[in-house]
């Protein structure tokens, strides 16, 4: 009987430790204080990146330099001034116009890195394959500089 009691006590202690470990957070707060873990279904992994690519490309061909430059990664923004980038975007708008929606847009995301593959309607020279993007401060940023 004494062996059974010891085994029961050991099992109970183990279960309590497991339960306490599962309920604690790394910062010592309660589970309610912890950020939730969100699992995105595989078929929607790149949705946010696809939206960012569409907005960036539309602003680029529309000559909206403020939006396009604001979507550059920190690394790319360091490599070009806003004035120089504005000139490029304005030239693209003058040369090609704004009506070039994307087709066949696919995004692959792995952590804070993404790659977009797409075609630009009427401008095959602007089609992209595995164009690099990075997640900075919760937003996707163009990182192909």
């Amino acid at each position: 009987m004494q062996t059974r009691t010891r085994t029961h006590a050991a099992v109970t202690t183990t279960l309590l430790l497991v339960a306490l470990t599962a309920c604690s957070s790394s910062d010592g707060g309660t589970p309610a204080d912890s950020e939730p873990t969100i699992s995105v279904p595989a078929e929607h992994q790149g949705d946010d990146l696809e939206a960012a690519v569409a907005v960036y490309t539309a602003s680029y061909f529309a000559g909206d330099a403020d939006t396009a430059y604001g979507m550059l990664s920190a690394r790319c923004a360091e490599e070009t001034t806003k004035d120089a980038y504005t000139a490029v975007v304005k030239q693209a708008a003058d040369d090609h116009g704004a009506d070039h929606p994307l087709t066949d847009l696919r995004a692959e995301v792995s952590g804070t890195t993404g790659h977009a593959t797409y075609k630009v309607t009427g401008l095959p020279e602007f089609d992209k394959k595995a164009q690099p993007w990075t997640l900075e401060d919760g937003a996707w940023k163009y990182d192909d500089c």
Side-chain angles (χ1 to χ4, degrees):
M1 182 87 168
Q2 192 173 16
T3 304
R4 213 183 227 172
T5 304
R6 284 186 189 159
T7 303
H8 181 52
V11 169
T12 302
T13 302
T14 301
L15 289 174
L16 284 172
L17 286 173
V18 169
L20 289 173
T21 303
C23 290
S24 67
S25 67
S26 60
D27 65 358
T30 63
D33 295 336
S34 302
E35 291 187 28
T37 301
I38 299 171
S39 177
V40 178
E43 66 270 14
H44 295 289
Q45 286 282 328
D47 287 357
D48 289 343
L49 177 53
E50 287 179 6
V53 171
V55 169
Y56 173 79
T57 305
S59 65
Y60 183 88
F61 288 114
D64 181 356
D66 288 336
T67 299
Y69 189 80
M71 294 184 75
L72 295 181
S73 67
R75 183 178 71 84
C76 289
E78 285 180 11
E79 291 187 15
T80 186
T81 66
K82 186 171 182 183
D83 288 340
Y85 197 76
T86 297
V88 169
V89 170
K90 295 293 183 191
Q91 189 64 53
D94 290 345
D95 291 349
H96 306 291
D99 191 22
H100 299 286
L102 301 182
T103 62
D104 302 327
L105 176 55
R106 292 182 321 277
E108 295 177 11
V109 173
S110 179
T112 60
T113 302
H115 292 92
T117 298
Y118 57 90
K119 294 180 180 179
V120 179
T121 303
L123 299 171
E125 66 271 26
F126 286 96
D127 293 353
K128 298 295 178 186
K129 184 173 183 177
Q131 180 183 60
W133 286 73
T134 187
L135 191 62
E136 294 177 352
D137 298 324
W140 284 106
K141 301 290 185 163
Y142 174 86
D143 198 41
D144 194 14
C145 48

